[in-house]
């Protein structure tokens, strides 16, 4: 779990954490609420790998999402969708970000695309507070209907 990576603080502080581990360390720091440390790890990775490899883009997108830097996160997730067009998690993040920024139609477009590509996360959507205001939206209800388990 992420607790192991948080124990790597000393290695990171002394700049001896292997570059391959910087992404895991950044994620773990984010999950623990240490956004400063996460950002430092992402910047270290960027210094040593100036090209945007997909791992770095994923981490930066998650960081932007996590810190509610919505426009940056939207741009990062759009680039990930181009790289991985069938990855429904990225489409769902884009939907979440558009709901968060009150762009309901765009959010529902991304949600529809995610469902079309196999997203089945009824419980993820039905209980996600970001979607609370959309629960009475006709289009949202229709999309939810497509992924509602048969036993409900």
């Amino acid at each position: 779990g992420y607790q192991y990576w948080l124990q790597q603080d000393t290695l990171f502080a002394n700049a001896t954490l292997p570059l391959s581990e910087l992404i895991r360390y950044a994620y773990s720091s984010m999950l623990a609420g240490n956004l400063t440390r996460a950002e430092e790890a992402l910047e270290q990775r960027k210094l040593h790998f100036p090209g945007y490899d997909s791992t770095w883009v994923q981490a930066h997108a998650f960081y932007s999402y996590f810190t509610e830097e919505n426009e940056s996160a939207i741009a990062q997730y759009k680039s990930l969708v181009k790289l991985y067009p069938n990855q429904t998690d990225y489409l769902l993040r884009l939907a979440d970000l558009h709901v968060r920024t009150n762009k309901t139609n765009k959010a529902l477009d991304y949600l529809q695309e995610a469902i079309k590509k196999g997203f089945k996360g009824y419980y993820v959507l039905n209980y996600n507070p970001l979607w609370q205001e959309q629960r009475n939206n006709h289009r949202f209800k229709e999309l939810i209907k497509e992924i509602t388990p048969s036993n409900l």
Side-chain angles (χ1 to χ4, degrees):
Y2 74 90
Q3 292 298 334
Y4 167 80
W5 296 107
L6 294 179
Q7 294 169 3
Q8 305 306 310
D9 259 1
T10 306
L11 291 175
F12 180 76
N14 296 324
T16 57
L17 191 64
L19 291 175
S20 61
E21 306 302 335
L22 285 172
I23 295 298
R24 287 190 191 107
Y25 181 80
Y27 277 123
S28 298
S29 296
M30 281 182 247
L31 292 172
N34 191 341
L35 301 180
T36 302
R37 196 60 102 180
E39 190 169 25
E40 290 170 0
L42 291 174
E43 288 304 312
Q44 278 283 13
R45 169 102 177 161
K46 191 170 146 184
L47 285 174
H48 295 286
F49 296 100
Y52 278 11
D53 68 346
S54 65
T55 306
W56 187 88
V57 174
Q58 290 172 49
H60 193 269
F62 183 72
Y63 176 79
S64 297
Y65 179 87
F66 198 76
T67 58
E68 295 189 18
E69 295 174 18
N70 298 319
E71 295 308 315
S72 174
I74 287 170
Q76 296 292 333
Y77 278 111
K78 280 182 176 179
S79 69
L80 286 167
V81 166
K82 285 180 185 174
L83 288 171
Y84 307 102
N86 294 317
Q87 178 59 269
T88 60
D89 289 351
Y90 300 147
L91 292 166
L92 186 61
R93 290 284 168 143
L94 280 168
D96 286 351
L97 284 160
H98 283 86
V99 162
R100 189 189 280 173
T101 56
N102 298 315
K103 298 174 187 162
T104 304
N105 288 332
K106 194 72 174 160
L108 294 172
D109 290 345
Y110 281 115
L111 179 57
Q112 183 174 12
E113 189 176 345
I115 291 169
K116 204 181 300 182
K117 292 184 177 186
F119 176 74
K120 301 277 186 228
Y122 167 80
Y123 294 103
V124 170
L125 287 175
N126 206 39
Y127 298 104
N128 184 336
L130 279 176
W131 292 91
Q132 182 63 40
E133 290 183 26
Q134 303 309 314
R135 300 247 190 318
N136 291 322
N137 179 304
H138 176 72
R139 186 170 170 210
F140 180 80
K141 286 180 183 180
E142 290 300 312
L143 290 170
I144 284 288
K145 215 183 286 183
E146 292 181 38
I147 60 173
T148 301
S150 59
N151 62 338
L152 292 180

